[in-house]
Amino acid sequence: MTEISAKLDPALIDRFAAIVGDKYALRDEQDIAPYLIERRGLWHGVTSLVLRPGSVDEVSRIMRLATETGTPIVPQSGNTGLVGAQVPDKSGREVILSLSRLNRIREIDVLSNTVTVEAGVILQTLQEAADAADRLFPLSLAAQGSCQIGGNLSSNAGGTGVLAYGNARELCLGVEVVLPTGEVFDDLRKLKKDNTGYDLKNLFVGAEGTLGIITAAVLKLFPRPKGREVAFAGMSSPKAALSLFTLAMDRAGASLTAFELIGKRPYDFTLKHGQGITRPLADDWPWYVLMQVSSGRSEEDGRALIEEILAEALEQGIIGDAVVSASLAQGDAFWNFRETLPECQKPEGASIKHDISVPTAAIPEFIDKAAGVVEGVCPGARVVCFGHMGDGNLHYNISRPVDWQDEAFLALYHPMNHAVHDVVRSFHGSISAEHGIGQLKRDELIATAPPMAIDLMRRVKAAFDPAGIMNPGKVI
Ligand SMILES: Cc1cc2nc3c(=O)[nH]c(=O)nc-3n(C[C@H](O)[C@H](O)[C@H](O)COP(=O)(O)OP(=O)(O)OC[C@H]3O[C@@H](n4cnc5c(N)ncnc54)[C@H](O)[C@@H]3O)c2cc1C
């Protein structure tokens, strides 16, 4: 018997299990373990029950029973979240509700450019289904092979397609949500325009499972680009990268579909630790940009456009070198380089990470200022800066000094966080651009957001979840 079995009444466990059937009510510690392990290893929750409903009706009955018995519910999709929002607490009172069996694509409407999809569909599966229908579903992130649509919406995921297509919130037209009471809010509409009162769906998107359970959604599809050209460029500074961004936006407009900034340190870490990685550029540069241009007309059109931008940037001295992918495979290799960056920081020892955004124009100044405060908190700490520069979003990570022990560096977690986030705030930026709040940033959000904003969020929470059973202790 685990500590928590004593805390979650066995008779209650049986009542929940009766809703989904024994096979889909996981009680065995070994079966439950994968739901409690999260990627960063920062949070270790406890539960004695994971429920895997197979229908909206089962979700509704689970929530009705949860409300009746005051049982806290933690929704979980692909379990790839990076802020601990999908992990239960240690009380043992919380039940994990996994949505992964709700995995049907209900409809692809090619003429309306929409897809109606259940919460447990894996992001990559949806991308492939859209592709097969000659459409693009543009949400794209390194965890796409395992994260699921319910988690993407609940964390309002960003990723590499935001520049041209927007984040998860902007891709969502309608939702189906089971409320804590078990009532089903069916708002699965395909409308681009709808000015009929409060935008309820957008309360659930980005709520990190604190207001209700998303069971399905209507999402936007786009024409599938005919040409997709990827380039890697080297330059001397973030200021030069900003000039390249301005030039590329001027020339390509909405055809500029990605603009990723990579500092020399993460670039070098990736060359050193990445598996099957090849060097994109022959020479070393202080900063790099991965840029993608998509064309609705043809490959040749996309290629002509990206080459024109790069030629002009070279001529103006904005960049020092650039290479355009010679094939789809090389384009994929460039993207693989980008997606491999985060994991290549791990072998360098402990790190303190920040997922920040500032106005795009302020990025060079932010990088300058933040480097100074990092050095002030920990001389010799190594800044590992990369991210979605076109969205003003940087993963501003700090690796420990080479000769430090991990523990000594991690002891500086709070001072480092506060110092970097103070710089973010000085630019009116955000301390969580795309990963959310979860457990990781809850206290800082509460301490630093305008009190009125926190008060309004608490009132919204109380209106939807008066008993406080939806993912307690997360966000606010
Ligand atoms: C390698 C890697 C790269 C990543 N890159 C990015 C990136 O570029 N951009 C980005 O934004 N994120 C990124 N992430 C973070 C993560 O992948 C995203 O936040 C993702 O959207 C989470 O989806 P999930 O299915 O794993 O959700 P989970 O982790 O299972 O859950 C996330 C949150 O949603 C809630 N939730 C889950 N399902 C539901 C539901 N059906 N109804 C209500 N609430 C629900 C959970 O309670 C939790 O609060 C990355 C993660 C990894 C591991």
Side-chain angles (χ1 to χ4, degrees):
M1 276 269 182
T2 60
E3 178 203 351
I4 81 116
S5 302
K7 297 194 176 168
L8 205 56
D9 178 9
L12 179 59
I13 292 180
D14 287 344
R15 287 181 74 192
F16 276 119
I19 296 172
V20 294
D22 268 342
K23 183 172 171 198
Y24 297 114
L26 312 183
R27 312 173 198 216
D28 184 88
E29 267 180 60
Q30 270 187 343
D31 294 339
I32 288 174
Y35 296 84
L36 297 173
I37 297 165
E38 59 71 42
R39 189 178 173 102
R40 284 189 168 169
L42 294 178
W43 298 277
H44 306 280
V46 179
T47 189
S48 55
L49 185 61
V50 175
L51 294 170
R52 302 187 61 224
S55 68
V56 177
D57 180 57
E58 286 180 5
V59 176
S60 164
R61 285 159 59 203
I62 288 168
M63 293 315 301
R64 221 176 303 144
L65 181 56
T67 287
E68 180 198 319
T69 55
T71 309
I73 299 290
V74 180
Q76 191 177 103
S77 286
N79 191 13
T80 68
L82 297 173
V83 292
Q86 73 281 17
V87 182
D89 68 13
K90 290 184 187 298
S91 71
R93 289 184 60 241
E94 302 187 343
V95 171
I96 293 179
L97 180 62
S98 163
L99 279 302
S100 59
R101 286 182 63 225
L102 293 187
N103 59 2
R104 274 188 318 131
I105 294 177
R106 292 187 190 165
E107 185 204 25
I108 293 186
D109 180 345
V110 174
L111 294 180
S112 303
N113 275 311
T114 62
V115 56
T116 305
V117 65
E118 293 185 349
V121 170
I122 290 175
L123 173 55
Q124 193 171 324
T125 307
L126 175 55
Q127 293 166 343
E128 287 165 4
D131 194 62
D134 198 26
R135 289 291 178 270
L136 172 77
F137 182 63
L139 188 67
S140 173
L141 41 125
Q144 64 198 25
S146 48
C147 64
Q148 298 166 12
I149 296 305
N152 297 149
L153 289 172
S154 299
S155 59
N156 186 23
T160 51
V162 175
L163 178 61
Y165 302 101
N167 51 20
R169 175 169 280 135
E170 286 161 275
L171 297 173
C172 181
L173 293 171
V175 287
E176 177 187 79
V177 175
V178 176
L179 302 176
T181 52
E183 293 161 288
V184 179
F185 172 49
D186 180 348
D187 192 31
L188 284 177
R189 292 187 293 171
K190 302 178 180 176
L191 307 178
K192 269 199 172 169
K193 292 183 138 185
D194 175 22
N195 271 350
T196 52
Y198 301 136
D199 189 347
L200 295 170
K201 88 175 171 281
N202 271 329
L203 286 175
F204 298 102
V205 177
E208 300 182 40
T210 59
L211 300 180
I213 311 284
I214 296 175
T215 48
V218 180
L219 303 172
K220 289 181 194 170
L221 295 176
F222 295 83
R224 196 159 60 94
K226 304 281 184 295
R228 182 181 67 102
E229 301 298 322
V230 192
F232 232 97
M235 62 218 60
S236 59
S237 66
K239 211 167 159 199
L242 182 62
S243 300
L244 177 62
F245 178 64
T246 308
L247 176 69
M249 278 301 269
D250 281 352
R251 297 292 179 275
S255 295
L256 182 66
T257 44
F259 195 93
E260 301 284 309
L261 180 70
I262 303 169
K264 179 167 173 14
R265 189 166 280 124
Y267 183 90
D268 289 347
F269 284 177
T270 306
L271 290 178
K272 186 172 161 194
H273 302 294
Q275 298 286 316
I277 290 291
T278 45
R279 170 183 278 276
L281 288 171
D283 294 329
D284 286 340
W285 294 91
W287 292 89
Y288 301 86
V289 160
L290 181 157
M291 184 170 102
Q292 178 175 283
V293 163
S294 302
S295 167
R297 290 195 220 154
S298 64
E299 269 176 40
E300 295 70 33
D301 183 56
R303 193 164 187 92
L305 185 52
I306 204 165
E307 283 178 352
E308 181 194 317
I309 294 165
L310 292 170
E312 205 170 325
L314 273 166
E315 202 180 294
Q316 291 182 24
I318 294 172
I319 59 174
D321 193 9
V323 56
V324 180
S325 58
S327 62
L328 271 182
Q330 196 182 12
D332 289 345
F334 286 173
W335 271 116
N336 183 42
F337 191 100
R338 165 63 186 88
E339 302 291 19
T340 307
L341 291 173
E343 69 199 48
C344 293
Q345 198 182 351
K346 228 175 191 171
E348 295 288 330
S351 60
I352 299 175
K353 300 186 171 175
H354 310 91
D355 163 38
I356 65 99
S357 66
V358 294
T360 307
I363 281 198
E365 209 187 326
F366 168 81
I367 289 174
D368 239 29
K369 264 192 171 178
V373 306
V374 167
E375 188 64 16
V377 174
C378 179
R382 295 169 292 166
V383 173
V384 178
C385 176
F386 59 93
H388 317 296
M389 179 169 177
D391 312 329
N393 175 196
L394 293 177
H395 298 302
Y396 193 81
N397 301 342
I398 323 289
S399 281
R400 65 160 165 72
V402 177
D403 50 355
W404 278 41
Q405 296 297 314
D406 284 353
E407 297 70 34
F409 181 63
L410 290 175
L412 295 175
Y413 184 88
H414 290 296
M416 185 66 85
N417 248 271
H418 290 152
V420 171
H421 287 168
D422 279 348
V423 181
V424 171
R425 277 186 282 269
S426 75
F427 289 99
H428 302 288
S430 168
I431 61 163
S432 183
E434 61 174 7
H435 293 161
I437 297 296
Q439 307 185 52
L440 182 68
K441 294 180 182 165
R442 184 197 53 190
D443 294 344
E444 186 165 359
L445 176 76
I446 292 169
T448 60
M452 178 62 97
I454 297 296
D455 183 45
L456 286 172
M457 284 193 227
R458 288 196 167 130
R459 287 193 234 175
V460 170
K461 168 84 173 162
F464 281 89
D465 180 26
I469 59 165
M470 287 304 312
N471 212 3
K474 314 293 167 46
V475 186
I476 48 167

